[in-house]
Amino acid sequence: MDLEEHEPSSPKMHQVLDEEGELIGEEPDIEDDTLKDMYWWMFYARKADEKALKLQRQGRMGTFAPIKGQEAAQVGASTAMKDDDWFVPAFRELGAYLQRDVALEQNYKYFMGDARGNEIPGDVNNLPIAVPVSTQIPHAVGLAWGIKRDGGGKAVLTVFGDGATSEGDFHEGLNFAGVLNVPAVFFCQNNQWAISVPFEKQTNSETIAQKAHAYGFPGVFVDGNDVLAVHEVTKKALQRAREEEVPTLIEALTYRLSMHTTADDPTRYRSEEELKEWEEKDPIKRFRIYLEKKGIWTEDWQQELEKKAEDKIKEAVDAAENIEDPDPEEMFKYMFEVLPEDLKSQMEYLKRSLREKEIEEEKVEIEGGFP
Amino acid sequence: MSEMNIVDAVNDALHLEMEKDEDVMILGEDVGENEGVFRVTEGLLEKFGEERVRDTPLAESGIVGVSIGLGLYGMKPVAEIQFMGFMWPALDQLSSHASRYRNRSQGQLNVPMVLRAPYGGGVKALEHHSESFESVLAHIPGLKVVIPSTPKDAKGLMISSIRDPDPVVFLEPKKLYRAFKQDVPDGELVEEIGEARVVKEGEDITLVGWGAMVPKMVKAADHAAKENISVEVVDLRTIYPYDEETVHDSIRKTGRLLVVQEAHRTGGFASEIIARAADKELLSLKAPPKRSTGFDVPFPLYKMEDWAIPDVDRIVKKIRRLIEW
Ligand SMILES: Cc1ncc(C[n+]2csc(CCOP(=O)(O)OP(=O)(O)O)c2C)c(N)n1
Ligand SMILES: [Mg+2]
């Protein structure tokens, strides 16, 4: 598909596989090892996500945002990136993060309330999670501008949800990108819900993709549950960004099969039938059927992956749960390159008050949601 | 009377005012179908329909800007920001417009809106879900900033906030949302905006605070009582307009002041309270006024959150220091 020729006002959804995992059109030019990799990361992310939900339900992890159902969108996009491209995430990114070298234990630590889970691994250009919706989008534009000034050759991929496209930062970011013409790819995981608010109440546009037209660059609508289609489109957009230093908006249509966060109860606002319908369109299942037909996926291989995932997840849980307690200094030490005297004395006060503590307060456990 | 927690109480006030006044509207993220992520807007969509209870797009500046327009037209919007930490995009609308239309139009226009938001920490939430920057709002001329700490006050103050002809930011301490219940009068209940409440009378020292710090101050007072220190506890309930009279009356009685503030230290509302006490009550004070506050760091992830908030232990130690001074 050609990004420039994409119909802007009513984009057609791009697919490589149909919903039954049958190839539509030409066989994509992807090596078997890459295909296997993609499947692994999708599967591993699913398992790690399921485990996180269990941990949360057992009181061993705090609130987190499950990715179930969005594995193809995430892994399809992240596998299209190069290590020195920049990844600028929102907060529901386990699949892309794992594929981008963030160890699972880091993710678990973070959602166990430990800031050390936010440390960025060495040689991959990833930013940490951004919780305030849409706020990371302009950062991606700034990074891309920096790349451009630096002679180009790299790209930035920022991801966000359908809800994020309502915020000012989305529109300001895309407008800047169009005006400055920078190598940024804006990747919207349209999972059709922003907590309880459905797509139709978020925007009166037919698609998110078409919004790019107004900013003067291509917007592509892709089946977000088709990992091959996502991969193809993202790869082209990134290539175009690296070579021509231009932006693209991608809308990947997918579905959040789980709750918004563990504090959310989706049965309050969406129907069982809708969920069933999308469970049928499970992106992992769809990809597996394709791989099986190609002779890549076998029962034995699946067993191997199950075992590997299980071992890695167990290791990650152990590492995350057995980390030593944080030191009170950690609350202060990353505030500035050089800690001002005033903060040093606040830090000393905290340490002293913990050391000399006499009165313990009883903990009040509170019900209620914290999305 | 009905037994209510703060969630029930705010909800009750919203139901009553919406029944009474057709102009009252609810808008915000997830306030309709989902009845608010904390269920504060429970039953409203069902009872009043989408014309008056509206799930909005995810856009805080939009929510506040549109509410201003509704208010200028004569509606009484009660908008919700899902968490105070997400109010920042709306600060432009609040400080450039909501707070100024009356003044700018030479008194011809007004913005009778309420902006609700859960605030504060201590609930093991994610980053940006525990902030308390009420002092920033109090610093904006033209906004009222109301912060109840009990179900009864939450109901009475919400009713007053809706009826108020000017913009009111109504902050709900989420740590206390369901922490305890109280008998709350059924039907009409009005608590005046701008009036502090003496929660507990005492002779030796005045503790001033608001929101989730109030129960901590009361506990600290109980501990101090065991050491024969008699503590007066004042719940500000509204931080702007500030009830200087109640606080200064108390300072004149006890001669000592400790302000307890969950928010960061520098430039917090505690500083304002202490500045005024220094300005007007210096000669009544037997010791320099003190504060127990959060630190000048972003509110941490939950492993460290208990450290970030003043606790009873720290409050009691400050009380002792002031008494021994
Ligand atoms: C600025 C801001 N407002 C509100 C929230 C609370 N919140 C967290 S996620 C979310 C919905 C996001 O929807 P979407 O962008 O579609 O992403 P998804 O959660 O579906 O991945 C909301 C309202 C927030 N994090 N940031
Ligand atoms: Mg969404």
Side-chain angles (χ1 to χ4, degrees):
Chain A
M1 69 167 313
D2 188 336
L3 301 181
E4 293 287 4
E5 279 170 18
H6 213 63
E7 171 54 47
S9 56
S10 185
K12 199 174 131 293
M13 187 167 76
H14 179 62
Q15 288 183 317
V16 172
L17 299 177
D18 71 10
E19 274 153 26
E20 270 71 52
E22 290 288 345
L23 202 59
I24 302 171
E26 274 174 54
E27 184 86 35
D29 180 21
I30 305 177
E31 306 214 338
D32 283 5
D33 279 349
T34 310
L35 293 173
K36 286 175 103 168
D37 242 20
M38 285 159 111
Y39 183 79
W40 156 250
W41 290 116
M42 288 167 69
F43 172 72
Y44 179 40
R46 170 75 57 95
K47 287 284 158 189
D49 195 59
E50 283 171 354
K51 180 65 185 183
L53 186 56
K54 278 199 194 114
L55 292 170
Q56 195 279 337
R57 293 303 190 231
Q58 293 164 352
R60 293 157 71 189
M61 185 178 280
T63 305
F64 82 99
I67 61 152
K68 188 175 178 186
Q70 300 181 210
E71 295 87 352
Q74 301 200 355
V75 171
S78 71
T79 50
M81 298 181 75
K82 296 187 173 165
D83 281 358
D84 63 353
D85 289 337
W86 283 79
F87 179 59
V88 182
F91 50 83
R92 192 188 302 286
E93 323 298 355
L94 182 62
Y97 254 169
L98 290 176
Q99 197 275 330
R100 296 269 306 163
D101 270 9
V102 178
L104 179 59
E105 66 173 82
Q106 289 299 96
N107 197 272
Y108 282 174
K109 277 181 217 162
Y110 178 81
F111 288 109
M112 288 175 181
D114 198 314
R116 288 166 292 185
N118 252 342
E119 281 162 21
I120 300 164
D123 46 7
V124 180
N125 289 328
N126 293 336
L127 290 194
I129 283 174
V131 172
V133 167
S134 202
T135 50
Q136 76 280 15
I137 294 173
H139 311 167
V141 177
L143 286 163
W145 193 0
I147 290 172
K148 185 166 180 158
R149 283 208 54 200
D150 212 18
K154 285 182 279 190
V156 183
L157 184 94
T158 182
V159 299
F160 47 88
D162 42 308
T165 66
S166 294
E167 290 278 10
D169 278 342
F170 167 81
H171 297 277
E172 294 177 29
L174 267 71
N175 189 45
F176 265 67
V179 169
L180 297 167
N181 217 17
V182 292
V185 176
F186 303 95
F187 189 94
C188 178
Q189 296 185 61
N190 177 3
N191 63 11
Q192 306 179 59
W193 290 91
I195 310 187
S196 71
V197 180
F199 184 79
E200 314 78 68
K201 285 192 190 170
Q202 201 62 249
T203 176
N204 206 24
S205 307
E206 200 182 323
T207 63
I208 301 286
Q210 77 195 57
K211 293 178 194 275
H213 188 53
Y215 296 111
F217 54 83
V220 192
F221 187 37
V222 62
D223 185 337
N225 281 11
D226 176 353
V227 68
L228 297 177
V230 172
H231 184 82
E232 182 193 344
V233 164
T234 313
K235 201 166 173 176
K236 281 199 176 136
L238 287 168
Q239 234 158 26
R240 222 176 128 261
R242 285 187 213 105
E243 286 160 16
E244 300 164 46
E245 294 170 9
V246 288
T248 306
L249 170 65
I250 298 169
E251 172 185 2
L253 184 71
T254 179
Y255 193 81
R256 155 165 70 73
L257 289 175
S258 200
M259 60 285 288
H260 167 72
T261 68
T262 46
D264 173 50
D265 172 10
T267 62
R268 295 176 65 88
Y269 52 79
R270 67 183 193 188
S271 71
E272 191 65 23
E273 298 85 76
E274 184 183 291
L275 179 63
K276 282 257 154 59
E277 185 195 323
W278 282 91
E279 275 170 349
E280 291 299 310
K281 300 184 192 175
D282 188 316
I284 299 183
K285 192 174 88 189
R286 195 199 289 195
F287 191 38
R288 196 200 65 216
I289 296 171
Y290 168 76
L291 292 180
E292 194 173 2
K293 278 190 205 128
K294 278 180 75 85
I296 293 175
W297 186 92
T298 62
E299 281 291 351
D300 284 351
W301 187 53
Q302 181 70 31
Q303 290 308 318
E304 238 175 81
L305 297 189
E306 300 267 357
K307 176 82 178 60
K308 184 170 152 196
E310 218 171 275
D311 291 349
K312 286 175 82 75
I313 289 168
K314 191 177 174 315
E315 266 172 48
V317 174
D318 285 349
E321 289 192 325
N322 294 320
I323 187 173
E324 73 282 11
D325 287 339
D327 185 289
E329 293 203 359
E330 283 178 44
M331 228 166 82
F332 297 88
K333 77 176 179 202
Y334 305 113
M335 289 307 297
F336 295 98
E337 192 170 322
V338 180
L339 202 61
E341 286 305 317
D342 184 42
L343 273 180
K344 270 191 213 156
S345 72
Q346 292 189 22
M347 183 170 84
E348 291 310 319
Y349 170 75
L350 173 62
K351 289 202 284 193
R352 194 169 64 247
S353 85
L354 292 173
R355 223 171 27 240
E356 296 168 1
K357 191 161 177 159
E358 296 164 35
I359 305 164
E360 290 296 339
E361 268 169 77
E362 69 274 29
K363 287 250 183 289
V364 197
E365 285 301 330
I366 308 166
E367 37 163 330
F370 312 110
Chain B
M1 290 282 185
S2 305
E3 274 230 310
M4 289 186 189
N5 59 32
I6 290 181
V7 171
D8 305 329
V10 178
N11 180 256
D12 187 34
L14 295 173
H15 274 277
L16 288 168
E17 288 303 288
M18 289 191 76
E19 277 161 18
K20 215 177 137 185
D21 183 349
E22 289 243 330
D23 293 339
V24 179
M25 297 169 64
I26 304 282
L27 66 157
E29 296 156 15
D30 307 286
V31 297
E33 211 63 62
N34 201 27
E35 305 181 311
V37 294
F38 292 100
R39 313 289 175 250
V40 173
T41 50
E42 200 165 77
L44 295 172
L45 174 64
E46 203 185 326
K47 197 195 286 182
F48 301 103
E50 222 192 354
E51 285 287 303
R52 293 181 65 194
V53 181
R54 180 72 202 200
D55 280 324
T56 66
L58 208 176
E60 290 74 15
S61 180
I63 291 169
V64 174
V66 168
S67 296
I68 291 170
L70 284 165
L72 290 171
Y73 187 81
M75 298 294 160
K76 292 183 185 156
V78 182
E80 177 180 302
I81 299 291
Q82 202 161 78
F83 287 85
M84 190 186 204
F86 307 128
M87 197 184 280
W88 293 111
L91 263 278
D92 185 21
Q93 289 294 344
L94 280 173
S95 68
S96 304
H97 297 297
S99 58
R100 293 186 188 216
Y101 259 110
R102 181 186 288 281
N103 188 57
R104 183 186 297 142
S105 67
Q106 306 298 292
Q108 288 169 298
L109 296 171
N110 66 319
V111 181
M113 68 176 285
V114 180
L115 187 63
R116 294 184 36 246
Y119 91 105
V123 298
K124 285 189 158 190
L126 291 169
E127 196 187 351
H128 305 285
H129 291 69
S130 304
E131 330 316 289
S132 35
F133 52 86
E134 64 278 7
S135 65
V136 174
L137 300 169
H139 191 67
I140 297 172
L143 292 183
K144 295 183 179 178
V145 184
V146 173
I147 312 181
S149 76
T150 66
K152 187 162 166 277
D153 285 348
K155 176 174 174 181
L157 285 164
M158 175 49 82
I159 289 177
S160 295
S161 299
I162 295 172
R163 294 180 189 173
D164 197 287
D166 287 303
V168 177
V169 182
F170 190 92
L171 300 175
E172 299 162 9
K174 69 174 94 66
K175 169 91 179 169
L176 304 184
Y177 258 155
R178 298 171 194 277
F180 63 98
K181 290 192 172 182
Q182 188 183 28
D183 274 335
V184 178
D186 296 321
E188 177 90 4
L189 174 69
V190 173
E191 293 288 341
E192 293 299 327
I193 292 175
E195 285 183 8
R197 183 166 56 89
V198 177
V199 179
K200 193 173 178 327
E201 295 203 26
E203 301 297 327
D204 301 326
I205 179 169
T206 300
L207 261 58
V208 178
W210 54 93
M213 295 302 98
V214 175
K216 286 188 191 245
M217 294 194 297
V218 172
K219 274 188 208 157
D222 293 342
H223 275 277
K226 292 180 210 153
E227 301 170 24
N228 285 321
I229 303 169
S230 164
V231 178
E232 180 143 306
V233 176
V234 179
D235 176 358
L236 230 40
R237 304 200 293 179
T238 300
I239 62 168
Y240 197 87
Y242 172 54
D243 184 357
E244 189 179 278
E245 191 184 330
T246 301
V247 175
H248 287 197
D249 281 350
S250 178
I251 294 172
R252 280 195 292 278
K253 180 165 76 166
T254 65
R256 296 179 185 90
L257 172 65
L258 173 64
V259 185
V260 183
Q261 165 185 289
E262 174 171 345
H264 315 302
R265 189 169 183 80
T266 303
F269 200 74
S271 316
E272 177 66 25
I273 296 171
I274 289 175
R276 292 194 194 214
D279 191 7
K280 296 197 179 155
E281 298 298 340
L282 195 60
L283 297 180
S284 327
L285 287 165
K286 297 175 196 158
K290 288 211 162 294
R291 341 165 237 181
S292 185
T293 69
F295 300 101
D296 290 336
V297 301
F299 198 90
L301 299 190
Y302 72 78
K303 269 197 187 171
M304 297 196 285
E305 80 170 333
D306 288 344
W307 299 345
I309 305 172
D311 60 15
V312 174
D313 185 76
R314 285 183 221 164
I315 300 170
V316 168
K317 283 179 182 146
K318 294 242 167 171
I319 292 173
R320 284 186 200 149
R321 274 187 65 193
L322 278 165
I323 298 291
E324 287 158 13
W325 198 81

